[in-house]
Amino acid sequence: MSFAAAWEAAGREADRLKGQHLRQLFAQDPERFARLSRRFGDLLADFSKEKLDAGALKALLALAEAADVAGKREAMFRGEPINLTEGRAVLHVAARDPSGSYDAPGFAEVAPTLDRFLAFAEEVRSGAYAPPTGGRFTDVVNIGIGGSDLGPAMAVRALAPYHDGPRVHFVSNVDGAHLTDALKGLDPAHTLILVASKTFTTLETMTNARSARDWLAAKLGEAGAGAHLAAISTNLKETAKFGVEDSRVFGFWDWIGGRYSVWTAIGLPLALAVGAENFRAFLTGAKAMDDHFRSAPPAENLPLLMGLVGIWRRNFMEASSVAVIPYDERLGRLPAYLQQLTMESNGKRVTRGGEAVKVATCPVVWGEAGTNAQHSFFQLIHQGADVIPVDFLAAAQAHEALGDHHVKLLANCFAQSQALAFGKTPEEVAAEMRAKGLPDSEIARLTPHRTFPGDRPSTTLLYAILDPARLGSLIALYEHKTFVEAALWDVNAFDQWGVELGKELAVKLLPGVEKGEAPAGADSSTAGLVAAAAALRETR
Ligand code: F6P
């Protein structure tokens, strides 16, 4: 079947299902959960609360075949230069399979580089690598932004129960408040600064890195500061210029994108926090998902199904935004991490061939940990005018035995997807009020406000416990989901030209902002803002 024909066929399935409420779909099929949930080890993906059925799923799987998702996936694993605009292979999968055989220049360095940065992590943790002035490194500050921040920051928080190394802090924003607040209370004599930047040219990171080096030097002297610096980058020329000693520079390769780099030395903050063994377990969990993605039959293949559900929501159910709600406090940074992973990857308006896309691409991704989210924006997800599909994530087991906290957390998670799917009809609402003795006039007035439309889709990912391997597999699952969506939209998920223009303009504007005068020819709004900021700077 051609891709166009498969797309049309999926559209017909969507039209058929749009007329049916999720209540009906569940009523028609008592086996719906069994039919539409999938397992990968202890990870359960429940798709039964999506607006899908066997017919729609079949059409989506046919669409994946017509788009040759399997062929595109193999091209990635074979190391073909699928990042067409930069002529690069895309082999983050190689970083979690150091003993595998990948075709990328430098691949042979993957295993020794991993051994090296994990050995360094262990040396810092044990005190074998220690501050020259004595004692230990009690604190590590990772300076990086985007992919050089979000992955390790998300993972370090996620694996808090495994922390037994130095305290790890993250600084990303060029706003001096970020560095100032992070360094407050830290002692330069016991602090290790990691400068993490794939390019080692990023304005924010290099500005923060210079200020942090000054902070070290103010107490330890220029010569003393060096031992407190390490760098992670693909640009070894620039790390040398910055003055980081070679033995503390950890490289990676241009065939690993920034937002896919937590598996490399960019993950050093995580290794420092949880140790080499747990870091290796994190990689092993991701590798297991890679193997599953490569070998599981399409109808059982979790990343493929998640990607197809993503396309279904976006292109056939017209959802323009998706919420990610982990009922797992330690995954609080997951939505931010997924924002970069998915929106920087698939926020594209032209196809790989450079033509305007004919269908909508990446939705807006946002979210917050539950139950907090219930008390802020869930009102809109339940009763707002837009339908916003939700990914729920939850662990069946807590790390801490703390009364009934965890069962309450789970009950809330399951209740939310239940309320979204089934809602509460006007008849049910009216009957409840009648039972409470409200007069008919009040019942009529309040019923529209108290009705829940339901029929709002969600997927729940449920796992035994958030351990390093499960975290690795969840991240790899979302990476491959993003890949599947890109394959169906025919966009290049591995470049990010859209972030360049703002960076260029900021560099051009900088002298004007310093002087308080926009460059000649600037538009009136920009000139007005520059002048107003200059005037406001004088007010205190
Ligand atoms: O501005 C976007 C971006 O290029 C991201 O893709 C990247 O993760 C981030 O900046 C940081 O880049 P670097 O690691 O080179 O400092």
Side-chain angles (χ1 to χ4, degrees), residues 246-285:
D246 283 355
S247 62
R248 285 187 307 283
V249 175
F250 304 97
F252 62 113
W253 308 274
D254 68 4
W255 34 269
I256 296 185
R259 54 191 173 274
Y260 298 89
S261 64
V262 64
W263 321 103
T264 69
I266 290 290
L268 181 57
L270 178 65
L272 283 158
V274 302
E277 201 181 319
N278 284 319
F279 191 86
R280 285 189 193 274
F282 174 62
L283 298 186
T284 304

Side-chain angles (χ1 to χ4, degrees), residues 12 111 130 146 253 348 383 456 484:
R12 284 193 295 276
W253 308 274
K348 307 288 164 64
Q383 287 188 318
R456 301 194 166 205
V484 169

Side-chain angles (χ1 to χ4, degrees), residues 143-150 196-206 232-234 252 257-261 266 340 344 495-496 498-500 503:
I143 295 181
I145 196 165
S148 300
D149 166 70
L150 287 163
S197 172
K198 182 176 170 182
T199 55
F200 227 72
T201 56
T202 303
L203 172 121
E204 293 92 330
T205 301
M206 297 323 298
I232 303 149
S233 185
T234 57
F252 62 113
R259 54 191 173 274
Y260 298 89
S261 64
I266 290 290
Q340 187 194 16
E344 199 172 70
D495 61 10
Q496 59 282 322
V499 296
E500 293 306 320
K503 288 188 198 171

Side-chain angles (χ1 to χ4, degrees), residues 17 20-27 29-38 44-54 56-57 309-310 312-313 317 319 327 378 381-382 387-394 410-423 453-462:
L17 280 167
Q20 299 183 53
H21 197 285
L22 273 167
R23 279 175 185 241
Q24 279 170 273
L25 296 177
F26 272 89
D29 181 5
E31 297 301 313
R32 192 173 161 81
F33 171 75
R35 237 184 274 288
L36 288 173
S37 58
R38 298 289 183 274
L44 167 77
D46 175 14
F47 300 115
S48 65
K49 291 194 184 99
E50 296 288 342
K51 279 285 283 252
L52 284 170
D53 64 3
L57 201 55
V309 166
W312 183 250
R313 291 163 162 184
M317 296 288 154
Y327 275 70
F378 256 74
I381 299 187
H382 285 292
V387 171
I388 299 173
V390 181
D391 284 359
F392 292 101
L393 293 98
L410 287 175
N412 271 280
C413 177
F414 304 156
Q416 289 302 316
S417 68
Q418 197 179 26
L420 286 167
F422 300 102
D455 206 25
R456 301 194 166 205
S458 66
T459 293
T460 298
L461 297 176
L462 180 69

